[in-house]
Amino acid sequence: MNLRIRLKSGEPLLGTLITLDSPEVALILQRAGFAWFFLDLEHSALLDLKSAQRIIEVLQPQGYAVIRVPDNSETWIKHALDTGCDGVIIPHVGSRADAERAILFSKYPPLGRRSVGIARAQGYGSSFQDYLSGAAERIAVIAQIEDVDGVENVDDILAVEGIDAIFIGPYDLSGSMGILGQLTDPALIENVNRVRRACQAADVPFGIFCPNTTAMNAELARKTSLLAVGSDTGHISAGAASIFHELRPER
């Protein structure tokens, strides 16, 4: 099933961030059990559209590959979607206008104004008509709320037709509140829960980035459906550190 259908099922979808230009690492993480992959073109200096497409080719169809674009612009969104990814994450959605802009650039006419070009998404033309007719139903558009404005305007954002899920960026949200990195601060938790409640009321899937498995397990207990824990570099670092600390060399 495609990502949009999977999101609507309400079943938890566990994923992680990809920041390295390495299809091999992405495949290892997929084999470990992750089901969706957050390809971070906003922050990673190592990922570009070409490397993201190579990673997507490795991950699909067993896993869902979602690109976080650097900004909510027509050029970035159409280039990302032309890779054949399963969806896009739009950063810093803070208003209804931001959400409408994301849908405008993500959907072909008459729903939006995404331009048509030959790319991997339609097999370089081999499945052209099938892709054009089914793209709106297959591609997920995920709005990332990571500012106070987004929390304040969450109901307006959720009212935009075509937004398939909301994803919280807790670090940037904490920064916009003046408590950068304080993820257990009650004020941050209340803002996250405010968005959570709004999503539940609107029947829109809620997601969040989790820095560790403790946070992820807590979100699973709350029936959160879209979860990303850690990153490729973090998993490698933690695995290597765990092995090192278990060694008992003779002294």
Side-chain angles (χ1 to χ4, degrees):
M1 69 179 71
N2 65 50
L3 180 57
R4 292 186 75 243
I5 294 174
R6 179 64 186 272
L7 286 169
K8 291 176 182 178
S9 75
E11 293 296 316
L13 197 57
L14 308 184
T16 192
L17 267 71
I18 298 294
T19 65
L20 296 174
D21 178 8
S22 174
E24 296 83 3
V25 169
L27 181 60
I28 289 168
L29 292 173
Q30 184 186 73
R31 295 288 176 84
F34 289 111
W36 80 282
F37 298 84
F38 181 129
L39 279 64
D40 190 8
L41 268 66
E42 182 187 15
H43 288 296
S44 174
L46 301 176
L47 282 184
D48 57 17
L49 286 164
K50 182 178 180 179
S51 57
Q53 181 168 302
R54 295 291 180 259
I55 291 170
I56 292 166
E57 290 168 352
V58 168
L59 294 174
Q60 292 175 334
Q62 291 82 8
Y64 300 111
V66 182
I67 291 179
R68 177 164 69 178
V69 291
D71 57 52
N72 190 4
S73 68
E74 181 176 11
T75 298
W76 270 114
I77 292 173
K78 71 180 177 183
H79 280 320
L81 292 176
D82 280 347
T83 66
C85 61
D86 296 286
V88 286
I89 295 174
I90 311 299
H92 297 285
V93 174
S95 66
R96 182 187 182 97
D98 289 342
E100 289 174 338
R101 182 179 178 86
I103 298 303
L104 182 68
F105 299 146
S106 298
K107 305 293 185 182
Y108 288 127
L111 300 175
R113 70 175 199 208
R114 177 185 172 190
S115 64
V116 179
I118 301 299
R120 178 186 176 270
Q122 354 79 13
Y124 302 101
S126 63
S127 58
F128 190 73
Q129 289 300 330
D130 177 67
Y131 182 80
L132 293 188
S133 62
E137 295 302 318
R138 287 194 293 260
I139 295 168
V141 180
I142 301 169
Q144 186 163 21
I145 289 181
E146 44 191 341
D147 305 285
V148 172
D149 286 349
V151 176
E152 295 294 328
N153 297 319
V154 63
D155 291 326
D156 289 338
I157 293 168
L158 288 167
V160 175
E161 184 178 356
I163 296 296
D164 296 302
I166 297 293
F167 193 83
I168 294 286
Y171 282 100
D172 277 359
L173 180 54
S174 69
S176 77
M177 297 171 61
I179 50 172
L180 181 62
Q182 298 178 42
L183 302 191
T184 59
D185 188 285
L188 175 65
I189 293 171
E190 174 52 33
N191 273 337
V192 171
N193 286 334
R194 179 175 173 180
V195 175
R196 189 195 311 275
R197 291 190 297 268
C199 288
Q200 290 170 344
D203 196 26
V204 172
F206 171 83
I208 191 168
F209 173 78
C210 300
N212 51 53
T213 54
T214 299
M216 177 173 270
N217 283 328
E219 289 296 332
L220 285 170
R222 298 184 185 103
K223 308 299 182 184
T224 301
S225 55
L226 186 64
L227 295 162
V229 60
S231 66
D232 46 11
T233 53
H235 300 314
I236 293 169
S237 177
S242 176
I243 291 171
F244 181 83
H245 289 307
E246 289 178 5
L247 297 177
R248 298 290 183 269
E250 294 182 5
R251 299 186 182 279

